[in-house]
């Protein structure tokens, strides 16, 4: 039986670069050599695509791109190719057929749908959601709009565009009756930790907006609600939608840090939250509904905040960390799956649903 050719995409032009390397290393090391041929494709911090045939340890320590055996390689958008094109030298190219693409590229360039759209053009199955769902989930403003329209509670918010800055005083005056300080300011289509700050007054709000606009043209301003943070993984398995146990991120210590990273905290993640069955069932049922509303595919991590007995959806992630200690792995391993089982489920689902 022929082995399945898996292209693992990692790296990228994002602050999550090192997280991506850790996920790629874990995935590549865990994939069975009897069943899979792994083709590592790394993207450097400056955006160069390289086929990497070297020692996998160099992926983990970040020295992979210095390997002299690396060569430029890109996904061909030609569906007949169904694979990648390697540039061996200035005059020779080689076509490598690919069965499925396993992307662990995070942030704006990996989660926004660009990679997913390229895979779709190429006709190559890939893990996770399609272009539309990926783009929508990364865009915090769109997620608010869609979930609010569906009757799912989200934290109170308003949006500001970069072009609104000349009129920001008027906007603040109009919005001041709706949301009170402190306020959390986030760049709309970026990882949550990028361009996110807390503001305690009008001047800090203006400064936080400028920081957010350096990352994206649109900013989301939310109430700084605190409470218990839960999440679960919704995933497809053999044509059915399954939901993991409910996990909780528990802060060991927490401080609101103005104009830095809006909440600076030391925390630990528990893959099994200490909650009653009714709340667990409510979170799982809501997560499954959100997965469908957002038109997700493959898998998604759905985050919630419980505050004053109200449950809010705070984030939908269509690309997750994939090392053994990641949230996704921790949740599913707590449910009895091995790390290899998880990878197998995700790959089989990608091959079946996007064939």
């Amino acid at each position: 039986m022929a082995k399945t050719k898996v292209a693992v995409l990692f790296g990228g032009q994002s602050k999550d670069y090192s997280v991506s390397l850790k996920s790629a290393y874990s995935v590549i090391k865990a994939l069975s050599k009897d069943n899979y041929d792994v083709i590592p494709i790394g993207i450097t911090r400056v955006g160069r695509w390289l086929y990497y045939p070297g020692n996998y340890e160099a992926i983990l320590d970040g020295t992979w791109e210095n390997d002299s055996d690396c060569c430029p390689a890109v996904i061909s958008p030609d569906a007949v190719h169904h694979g990648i094109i390697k540039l061996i030298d200035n005059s020779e190219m080689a076509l490598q057929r690919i069965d499925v693409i396993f992307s662990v590229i995070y942030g704006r360039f990996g989660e926004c749908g660009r990679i997913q759209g390229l895979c779709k053009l190429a006709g190559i199955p890939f893990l996770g959601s399609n272009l539309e769902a990926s783009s929508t989930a990364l865009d915090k403003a769109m997620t608010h709009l869609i979930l609010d329209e569906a009757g799912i509670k989200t934290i109170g918010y308003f949006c500001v565009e970069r072009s609104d800055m000349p009129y920001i005083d008027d906007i603040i005056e109009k919005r001041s009756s709706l949301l009170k300080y402190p306020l959390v300011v986030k760049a709309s289509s970026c990882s949550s930790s990028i361009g996110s700050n807390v503001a305690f007054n009008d001047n800090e709000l203006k400064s936080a907006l400028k920081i957010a606009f350096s990352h994206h043209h649109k900013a989301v301003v939310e109430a700084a609600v605190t409470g218990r943070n839960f999440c679960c993984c919704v995933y497809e398995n053999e044509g059915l939608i399954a939901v993991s146990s409910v996990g909780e991120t528990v802060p060991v210590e927490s401080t609101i840090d103005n104009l830095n990273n809006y909440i600076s905290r030391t925390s630990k993640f528990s893959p099994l939250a200490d909650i009653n069955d009714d709340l667990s069932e409510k979170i799982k049922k809501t997560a499954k509904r959100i997965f469908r509303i957002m038109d997700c595919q493959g898998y998604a991590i759905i985050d919630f905040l419980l505050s004053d007995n109200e449950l809010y959806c705070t984030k939908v992630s269509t690309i997750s960390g994939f090392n053994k200690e990641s949230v996704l792995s921790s949740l599913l391993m707590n449910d009895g799956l091995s790390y290899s089982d998880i990878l197998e489920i995700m790959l089989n689902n990608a091959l079946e649903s996007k064939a």
Side-chain angles (χ1 to χ4, degrees), residues 199-220:
F200 290 86
N201 55 53
D202 291 358
N203 286 333
E204 288 186 357
L205 176 56
K206 293 175 191 177
S207 298
L209 285 169
K210 289 177 181 177
I211 293 171
F213 291 145
S214 69
H215 298 282
H216 194 257
H217 67 86
K218 182 167 52 180
V220 173

Side-chain angles (χ1 to χ4, degrees), residues 152-173:
I152 292 173
K153 287 183 179 292
T154 64
I155 293 170
Y157 79 105
F158 62 88
C159 291
V160 183
E161 293 276 353
R162 187 185 290 137
S163 58
D164 293 330
M165 283 305 286
Y167 323 104
I168 192 60
D169 290 331
D170 292 336
I171 292 172
I172 290 173
E173 185 177 353

Side-chain angles (χ1 to χ4, degrees), residues 6-12 16-31 33 38-43 52 56-61 64 102-106 320-324 326 339 343:
V6 182
V8 177
L9 267 59
F10 64 91
D16 298 306
Y17 178 87
S18 59
V19 178
S20 176
L21 299 191
K22 187 174 181 181
S23 288
Y25 176 79
S26 293
V27 168
I28 292 170
K29 292 286 284 186
L31 287 176
K33 304 302 182 289
V38 177
I39 297 93
I41 306 291
I43 302 176
Y52 174 67
Y56 298 149
E57 303 298 324
I59 295 176
L60 189 60
D61 67 23
W64 66 273
F102 197 136
S103 175
V104 289
I105 299 175
Y106 308 119
S320 168
F322 259 101
N323 62 70
K324 290 183 181 180
S326 69
Y339 183 62
L343 299 183

Side-chain angles (χ1 to χ4, degrees), residues 49-207:
W49 289 53
L50 297 170
Y51 164 65
Y52 174 67
N55 191 306
Y56 298 149
E57 303 298 324
I59 295 176
L60 189 60
D61 67 23
T63 60
W64 66 273
E65 65 183 89
N66 300 323
D67 193 303
S68 60
D69 290 329
C70 283
C71 68
V74 294
I75 298 172
S76 171
D78 189 328
V80 174
H81 290 163
H82 205 275
I84 61 170
I85 296 174
K86 300 176 186 175
L87 183 62
I88 308 302
D89 56 37
N90 292 332
S91 61
E92 183 182 352
M93 292 189 295
L95 180 65
Q96 168 76 66
R97 190 170 177 83
I98 299 296
D99 294 314
V100 62
I101 289 177
F102 197 136
S103 175
V104 289
I105 299 175
Y106 308 119
R108 184 170 56 176
F109 296 109
E111 299 178 52
C112 67
R114 290 178 173 93
I115 295 291
Q116 294 80 358
L118 179 56
C119 293
K120 196 71 175 178
L121 277 175
I124 305 173
F126 55 94
L127 266 69
S129 294
N130 57 24
L131 184 158
E132 294 83 5
S134 300
S135 176
T136 300
L138 187 64
D139 189 324
K140 300 173 184 65
M142 286 299 298
T143 299
H144 269 291
L145 286 169
I146 291 171
L147 296 184
D148 289 348
E149 181 66 23
I152 292 173
K153 287 183 179 292
T154 64
I155 293 170
Y157 79 105
F158 62 88
C159 291
V160 183
E161 293 276 353
R162 187 185 290 137
S163 58
D164 293 330
M165 283 305 286
Y167 323 104
I168 192 60
D169 290 331
D170 292 336
I171 292 172
I172 290 173
E173 185 177 353
K174 290 177 182 177
R175 298 291 185 176
S176 61
S177 60
L178 300 177
L179 297 178
K180 304 296 183 182
Y181 290 107
L183 296 172
V184 178
V185 183
K186 305 175 181 178
S188 189
S189 285
C190 293
S191 298
S192 297
S193 61
I194 296 174
S196 296
N197 291 282
V198 69
F200 290 86
N201 55 53
D202 291 358
N203 286 333
E204 288 186 357
L205 176 56
K206 293 175 191 177
S207 298

